[in-house]
Amino acid sequence: MDKKDTLIVMCSPNLRLVSAKRAVGSLKATDLRRAELILLDNCYDKGFSHPIILNKMLKIAVRRHKNVIFLDDDIEVYDYHWIDRLYDVSTKLNASVIGCVNIFEDGEINNAGHFVDSDGVYESMCDFMHDHIDIFNNAVYVPTVCSAVMLVKNCDSFYFDTRYLKETHDLDLCIQAWYTGKRVACALDLKIVHHHSYVAQNNPDYNSVYYHDCSHFSKKWSDFLPYLLNVPQLKQYKRYGQRQTWTHYYFRATRMKLIDKQRAIEMFTRITTDCYNERTRANAYYHLYQIEGNHTLLEQCLQANPCHKTAAEQLVRLTGAEYRPLSNCKYKFNCKRCHLKKL
């Protein structure tokens, strides 16, 4: 059996762009032993169609009995075992399409999948509060994932709709999965940097392309989308809304400290267990320390966010141990903009 069971496909208008070079460079520093990397440079061809070329890649994968990981050219991957993690989620959740959490270069979450309502309008999920029972091995089922990083298995079951210009063909493929009884999942503990906003701002045609593709997506799936959230794995999203976010829950917990400390402990503990935002998780550990006084909670706070200055200072006062937050940082964020330092 060929040990290289995966094709990694990245398309770019110009592989010499700084963003593309950073993307390829980050990939080369990870474990690619099971993959073949295919880089496609369209040289700013105005007739280039992203869905058409991705369809060709699907067909090649089928002929060669391989799976495909599609990547955008404005991403950076810093998890050495990222490919194995995608496959691990696929196995544990029996999913055919797998993505991960997209973050900006300062660490703030861009999206962890996309929510799609019955009218076909979709929006990024960056703070949705999943119930513990809906999290499996640090992964969850989601309506759709972004093709910035997208593993597709069972390639002969899917196609990219060539009527899309650029923006929504990845969501379309995910809806195909749910429509045919397959599953889509997101790894909450795998994060990749995605510079999408910068690319969109520099594309004068972005808005017209975006609205064209949104319109086609909504019309195409108008009969199925009202029933999408009836799929057993997606019923949790029926309560999707601003009040079902970790941010909202965190602020409720901080107020609960003044009302019912035991309830606050339960709420903060849930955040430390299930929330995939490091900053929110670290702050929850610090609140637990303030309630319980256990200094090991400060250590856990700093494991989640090595730059939590208040926790570091308090730990030094309690233990006398020297602590240097920046020297212990395990993230690749730009310190000048890092969201972990906004305390």
Side-chain angles (χ1 to χ4, degrees):
M1 179 180 174
D2 187 356
K3 293 183 179 180
K4 291 187 177 294
D5 59 356
T6 308
L7 301 179
I8 298 178
V9 178
M10 178 186 292
C11 298
S12 174
N14 183 356
L15 286 170
R16 294 186 178 183
L17 290 171
V18 172
S19 58
K21 287 183 177 180
R22 289 170 65 176
V24 175
S26 73
L27 290 176
K28 289 183 176 180
T30 67
D31 184 2
L32 300 177
R33 286 177 294 179
R34 67 188 296 176
E36 297 179 39
L37 178 58
I38 301 175
L39 302 175
L40 302 170
D41 190 329
N42 66 54
C43 301
Y44 292 107
D45 180 5
K46 292 184 178 180
F48 175 78
S49 169
H50 212 141
I52 287 177
I53 196 65
L54 297 187
N55 261 337
K56 291 181 179 179
M57 293 297 105
L58 280 178
K59 292 177 181 177
I60 291 173
V62 171
R63 289 201 301 268
R64 298 178 61 184
H65 306 287
K66 297 181 185 294
N67 304 311
V68 181
I69 297 178
F70 294 107
L71 299 178
D72 285 356
D73 68 339
D74 57 349
I75 56 97
E76 293 176 51
V77 182
Y78 293 110
D79 188 315
Y80 184 75
H81 298 291
W82 67 284
I83 298 177
D84 288 339
R85 178 57 183 145
L86 291 174
Y87 274 101
D88 182 50
V89 171
S90 172
T91 300
K92 296 290 176 55
L93 277 71
N94 190 25
S96 296
V97 183
I98 306 91
C100 62
V101 177
N102 290 211
I103 61 175
F104 295 110
E105 63 180 340
D106 65 353
E108 289 280 11
I109 295 174
N110 176 324
N111 78 78
H114 293 85
F115 172 79
V116 184
D117 69 16
S118 60
D119 294 326
V121 176
Y122 66 90
E123 58 183 287
S124 298
M125 295 190 299
C126 60
D127 197 28
F128 182 70
M129 190 176 139
H130 302 278
D131 283 332
H132 188 69
I133 60 173
D134 294 318
I135 302 174
F136 308 92
N137 188 36
N138 281 325
V140 293
Y141 294 110
V142 291
T144 68
V145 293
C146 173
S147 63
V149 174
M150 175 191 279
L151 168 62
V152 180
K153 301 179 69 176
N154 306 310
C155 293
D156 57 341
S157 302
F158 299 103
Y159 70 95
F160 284 98
D161 188 337
T162 57
R163 288 171 292 183
Y164 292 109
L165 299 177
K166 168 65 178 173
E167 290 302 319
T168 322
H169 54 271
D170 48 355
L171 277 64
D172 184 282
L173 186 139
C174 294
I175 299 301
Q176 290 176 43
W178 291 115
Y179 185 74
T180 57
K182 299 179 179 62
R183 301 175 180 181
V184 180
C186 177
L188 297 177
D189 58 349
L190 175 59
K191 298 183 178 182
I192 60 99
V193 178
H194 186 198
H195 301 285
H196 176 267
S197 60
Y198 302 127
V199 176
Q201 290 171 3
N202 292 327
N203 182 357
D205 299 323
Y206 177 79
N207 285 336
S208 60
V209 169
Y210 174 79
Y211 289 118
H212 171 278
D213 286 357
C214 287
S215 175
H216 176 54
F217 177 80
S218 299
K219 292 175 182 177
K220 176 179 178 179
W221 295 106
S222 60
D223 289 339
F224 176 63
L225 290 178
Y227 303 97
L228 177 64
L229 299 188
N230 289 332
V231 175
Q233 294 82 8
L234 299 180
K235 286 186 175 179
Q236 59 179 306
Y237 299 106
K238 286 188 173 183
R239 56 187 174 83
Y240 183 83
Q242 291 184 348
R243 294 180 65 84
Q244 297 298 332
T245 66
W246 285 115
T247 299
H248 182 265
Y249 190 76
Y250 170 79
F251 284 119
R252 283 185 58 203
T254 60
R255 292 195 298 271
M256 190 60 66
K257 282 175 63 178
L258 305 174
I259 303 170
D260 184 339
K261 288 189 176 181
Q262 187 55 45
R263 175 58 180 151
I265 289 173
E266 294 172 0
M267 295 175 74
F268 284 126
T269 300
R270 181 180 177 188
I271 294 172
T272 62
T273 302
D274 295 337
C275 182
Y276 48 92
N277 184 310
E278 304 95 339
R279 186 179 174 209
T280 304
R281 196 164 67 246
N283 289 344
Y285 275 121
Y286 190 77
H287 280 288
L288 286 173
Y289 161 73
Q290 289 181 316
I291 297 173
E292 299 181 341
N294 185 344
H295 77 269
T296 60
L297 292 166
L298 293 174
E299 296 172 354
Q300 291 173 294
C301 170
L302 292 167
Q303 286 177 5
N305 178 4
C307 292
H308 197 296
K309 184 178 179 181
T310 308
E313 292 174 346
Q314 184 67 17
L315 188 61
V316 170
R317 283 196 292 270
L318 290 173
T319 65
E322 183 178 6
Y323 187 80
R324 298 175 180 173
L326 293 181
S327 66
N328 289 277
C329 183
K330 61 180 179 293
Y331 304 108
K332 304 290 184 178
F333 308 145
N334 183 333
C335 288
K336 293 181 180 179
R337 299 188 226 177
C338 180
H339 78 300
L340 296 175
K341 297 185 73 174
K342 298 175 182 177
L343 302 173

